[in-house]
Amino acid sequence: MSEQQQTQRRRQAFYQRIGGDNLTPLWEVFHDLVARTPKTTALPAHWRYSDVRPFVLESGDLITAKEAERRVLVLENPGLRGQSRITQSLYAGLQLILPGEVAPAHRHTQSALRFIVEGEGAYTAVEGERTLMSPGDFVITPAWTWHDHGNESDRPMVWLDGLDVPIVGLFNATFAESYPHDNQAPTRPEGDALARYGSGLLPVDHRAASPASPVFNYPYSRTREALETMRRAEEWDRCHGLKLKFVNPATGGHAMPTMATFMQLLPKGFATAPYCATDGTVFAVVEGSGRTRVGDATFDWGPKDVFVIPNWHRHTHEADEDAVLFSFSDRPLQEVAGIWREERGPA
Ligand SMILES: [Fe+2]
């Protein structure tokens, strides 16, 4: 037996002995724990809306929104199957609510965002206020707020759900409750939160009671108008085109404490410089078409498609026509922890 084999044997015997006391040697795992650059098994992936829409609608024949509690097809990262997650830290799914249906009121410690993909006129109610939803609207249900959804329109409604389920899971801090009735009784008039907090004004003695934005619907009409007006200045970021983040007007911080949300405009013909960041990001196409290249993959996207770029994956976007992309990630928590990092490629 060589000297090296003997050493290995002695080490293995040692590991076994200390294992009985719930001890393990760091040096065997150090380079996995403290990797030089981020490693993830998450993969870039693209869900074409034309491919998945039939399945979403078919789920409407199988189960009611009420029986399912939430009728959602989870968008599972192909590198993380069976874990109900689209990136290492985030969950995403496509939710269907049919005319006349109600998704009953409940609350949970996970924060949720809805990004409206298809349909018009269904509502989300949060803490006693209803908001009607249209495509491109960004709606939030902050942690531990009562929320229910209903569709009083005559067409199916589909939205993208984004939740911090894996993050709350990491802390093992999940709580959930059902409301005694399917719907909350309205306690505030529709549009109250947007008027009160989302008009560049705040009630004079307002003190933020929660880290989440008190505005819970950011209508696409307003977001789109901001992009359209700002584009005239022709100030394009080489990695992002024109990119805005949704903020909590009471704090200036991200709209939600655990998830960052963005809307960006890529004008026709624009090709971004390579970019990567430590926050894996989910993109939803609102308008236009183009492509995103990441590694060996090219995603040719169009309206209503969803795609995901895992963390620290260098990518570029190109727009064939004016394109608007919504996106979300776990960036706020990384910023708080001082670990968020980006790498901007050459022009
Ligand atoms: Fe919920």
Side-chain angles (χ1 to χ4, degrees), residues 70 106 108 114 141 147 149:
R70 296 295 185 262
H106 67 196
H108 38 70
R114 333 270 166 208
T141 60
H147 55 280
H149 314 287

Side-chain angles (χ1 to χ4, degrees), residues 75-122:
L75 301 174
E76 278 202 332
N77 189 289
L80 304 167
R81 291 305 310 271
Q83 301 179 42
S84 299
R85 58 183 85 190
I86 191 163
T87 68
Q88 202 121 323
S89 60
L90 296 173
Y91 158 104
L94 289 170
Q95 179 159 175
L96 169 70
I97 182 154
L98 292 170
E101 284 192 320
V102 165
H106 67 196
R107 64 178 175 177
H108 38 70
T109 46
Q110 290 85 357
S111 300
L113 68 86
R114 333 270 166 208
F115 187 70
I116 314 311
V117 175
E118 176 183 338
E120 186 97 37

